[in-house]
Amino acid sequence: MTKPYLIYGANGYTGELIAREATRRGQRPVLAGRNAEAVRVLATELGLEHRSFSLDDPSAADEALKGMAAVLHCAGPFVRTFQTMAEACLRARTHYLDVTGEIDVFESLAARDKDARAAGVMLLPGTGFDVVPTDCVAAHLKRRLPSATHLVLAFHSVGGLSRGTATTMVENVHRGGLVRRNGVLTPVPAAWKTRTVDFGRGPRTVVSIPWGDVSTAYHSTGIPNVEVYTTATGPLLLAMKASRLLRPVLGCSAVQSYLKKRVRSGAPGPNAEQRARGRTTVWGEVTDPAGRRASARLYGPEGYTFTMRTALAAVERVLAGAAPAGFQTPSKAYGPDFVLGVDGVTREDL
Ligand SMILES: NC(=O)c1ccc[n+]([C@@H]2O[C@H](COP(=O)([O-])OP(=O)(O)OC[C@H]3O[C@@H](n4cnc5c(N)ncnc54)[C@H](OP(=O)(O)O)[C@@H]3O)[C@@H](O)[C@H]2O)c1
């Protein structure tokens, strides 16, 4: 490794998990964020260099990126943070990676593909649980059934949410659902469809959600019809359906601040014991017009542990010189089996 990389948002729940694990692996990332004191305290404890700058200041970002091989951007909701960082990366010719799951961010970065290629920069959003495992399952199924025209992905997650994830969900709760239909991102009602999926222990009810793969799976596989589902209990399903009627209310600033205040009063994220006990399962199925189908399941650790491991696996590839220029998805950059190199992950074809 010749140049260091920068973790921005290092004092957040996910950024800190990643910074600690990176240090444990013997890496020397530079820690950064807008909260100078919080970043300094963590960097001092871990014996790392640190920088603080606001994403409202592009020239400060330019200065901070000097000498960096890559940025692992962990400050979200990303719709408000990705632009300054990605633009600074393009100017500095520094590879950009993040842990977003936000469809608008994926699509905006995909639109910068040409500029990224010209700059020799890789733009790789979605290096966390959303979307590495699902994206790799999608690409694996496409490899098994190249004629596939429809992709359905579903996941079951045990472990809990971080404040940052909950805040991102609050900001999107009034926006309804999204699927990919004939190649086009198509709005649908929240909790539009339910179905059952067997994650290995019998059928469970799952509900459609606007997960990142609605954007990325199309870029990875070219499959034009994509739906993503997650497990939902009865009360959650009811709340999701009620959000259709409450859309205007949920989007108004007073309700948004109330919900975010509730989120801020909670724990930063699952603790070490919850993470150790948690687990995730991804299921995917592709079909083609002749009625052929292929499906697979992927088993992995709890979502934030998953994110920490996949994000660092991507960074390690970059530092080893594997950073294809342009907009990338995890499976486009590193192949459908990339996720299998991550500790605790297994896949079975059904
Ligand atoms: N794709 C996935 O699977 C996955 C997994 C984990 C997390 N995430 C996403 O990652 C994001 C962070 O999650 P988290 O759990 O780490 O949240 P968190 O604990 O709330 O931390 C958020 C971090 O982002 C920083 N930040 C937020 N807005 C900023 C802005 N406008 N400018 C600069 N810094 C900003 C915060 O800085 P301050 O401390 O100064 O506020 C903090 O460092 C969320 O969007 C979450 O959804 C995705």
Side-chain angles (χ1 to χ4, degrees):
M1 175 177 147
T2 48
K3 284 186 189 174
Y5 73 98
L6 187 116
I7 300 177
Y8 189 87
N11 62 305
Y13 175 80
T14 307
E16 183 177 336
L17 275 184
I18 292 172
R20 288 187 184 281
E21 174 64 10
T23 311
R24 196 190 65 78
R25 293 184 187 190
Q27 296 178 8
R28 309 276 310 145
V30 173
L31 304 191
R34 65 180 170 181
N35 182 333
E37 182 55 13
V39 172
R40 185 193 64 77
V41 168
L42 180 64
T44 306
E45 182 198 328
L46 298 178
L48 300 172
E49 200 187 311
H50 59 95
R51 295 176 185 180
S52 100
F53 59 99
S54 160
L55 294 175
D56 296 332
D57 184 351
S59 59
D62 287 345
E63 189 57 34
L65 260 52
K66 279 188 183 154
M68 295 294 135
V71 168
L72 177 56
H73 188 28
C74 297
F78 288 88
V79 75
R80 287 194 265 113
T81 66
F82 82 97
Q83 191 125 23
T84 305
M85 188 60 88
E87 297 300 336
C89 282
L90 289 173
R91 287 191 296 274
R93 295 174 186 255
T94 296
H95 301 300
Y96 170 96
L97 298 87
D98 73 25
V99 293
T100 191
E102 296 160 59
I103 290 170
D104 291 348
V105 175
F106 288 122
E107 290 296 309
S108 301
L109 288 171
R112 302 304 306 272
D113 178 56
K114 211 169 138 213
D115 299 326
R117 282 175 197 271
V121 166
M122 179 175 76
L123 298 176
L124 177 58
T127 65
F129 176 69
D130 186 355
V131 293
V132 172
T134 35
D135 187 57
C136 287
V137 165
H140 172 62
L141 293 173
K142 168 74 180 182
R143 178 169 64 183
R144 286 179 55 205
L145 187 66
S147 53
T149 52
H150 290 71
L151 166 70
V152 180
L153 293 163
F155 65 90
H156 174 59
S157 167
V158 177
L161 293 180
S162 74
R163 282 200 287 241
T165 304
T167 303
T168 306
M169 286 166 75
V170 165
E171 291 201 354
N172 289 291
V173 69
H174 60 291
R175 298 183 66 193
L178 211 57
V179 297
R180 176 100 45 190
R181 197 183 283 157
N182 298 325
V184 177
L185 288 170
T186 308
V188 292
W192 179 51
K193 279 187 182 175
T194 55
R195 56 174 288 163
T196 56
V197 165
D198 185 354
F199 291 98
R201 295 182 179 187
R204 295 196 56 141
T205 302
V206 292
V207 59
S208 58
I209 53 163
W211 198 244
D213 301 84
V214 170
S215 163
T216 49
Y218 182 61
H219 297 289
S220 300
T221 66
I223 298 174
N225 300 289
V226 183
E227 292 174 8
V228 185
Y229 293 77
T230 190
T231 38
T233 55
L236 178 62
L237 200 56
L238 207 64
M240 287 171 81
K241 286 190 176 159
S243 76
R244 293 179 194 167
L245 299 172
L246 297 173
R247 258 177 99 154
V249 180
L250 289 169
C252 86
S253 60
V255 173
Q256 283 277 313
S257 355
Y258 169 76
L259 292 172
K260 285 184 193 169
K261 207 167 147 200
R262 290 286 305 265
V263 168
R264 276 198 301 276
S265 68
N271 61 31
E273 194 199 325
Q274 290 166 322
R275 284 199 307 276
R277 271 193 280 113
R279 63 195 161 78
T280 50
T281 311
V282 169
W283 169 93
E285 182 180 77
V286 286
T287 49
D288 76 0
R292 285 180 286 252
R293 63 183 62 228
S295 61
R297 272 197 295 258
L298 185 135
Y299 305 92
E302 178 277 341
Y304 293 91
T305 300
F306 214 137
T307 294
M308 173 184 89
R309 291 181 187 166
T310 48
L312 284 175
V315 165
E316 281 160 6
R317 295 281 180 117
V318 172
L319 299 180
F327 170 78
Q328 301 293 339
T329 63
S331 70
K332 263 176 69 179
Y334 302 127
D337 299 332
F338 167 54
V339 70
L340 299 182
V342 170
D343 199 22
V345 177
T346 55
R347 186 182 65 208
E348 70 175 323
D349 287 337
L350 303 172

